[in-house]
Amino acid sequence: MENPEQIFTYLIARAPKGVCDDCLARETGVSPRQQIETIAGALGLTRDFDRSNSVCYFCGSEKLVTRSLASANET
Ligand SMILES: [Zn+2]
């Protein structure tokens, strides 16, 4: 799976939980870390994702997190 696709799929599976770049890197195994910023930043520009300062679901820190706005229940 390509890195952008991996992050995309990962965030949708965790929707609507917000995940910070560090945790995304660890959870998806995508490296280098700057790639996460690029990919998550691009996703954050779309209407299906939100990228803002919030509490990360994994580490509990308040930082820049990315979340999918798509609902898993949506058909
Ligand atoms: Zn985190």
Side-chain angles (χ1 to χ4, degrees):
M1 210 186 277
E2 298 293 327
N3 287 344
E5 189 184 358
Q6 203 167 338
I7 291 173
F8 180 85
T9 306
Y10 181 86
L11 287 172
I12 286 187
R14 303 292 179 299
K17 297 180 176 75
V19 188
C20 74
D21 292 354
D22 289 327
C23 292
L24 269 181
R26 193 186 60 239
E27 295 292 315
T28 61
V30 170
S31 66
R33 164 81 167 57
Q34 292 95 306
Q35 262 213 359
I36 301 278
E37 266 183 74
T38 307
I39 296 166
L43 289 175
L45 294 175
T46 71
R47 61 184 186 140
D48 294 333
F49 290 85
D50 172 63
R51 187 162 159 85
S52 57
N53 274 306
S54 189
V55 176
C56 171
Y57 171 69
F58 285 102
C59 61
S61 311
E62 186 166 346
K63 46 168 92 172
L64 199 56
V65 304
T66 311
R67 77 180 80 241
S68 166
L69 301 175
S71 164
N73 298 322
E74 221 170 339
T75 49

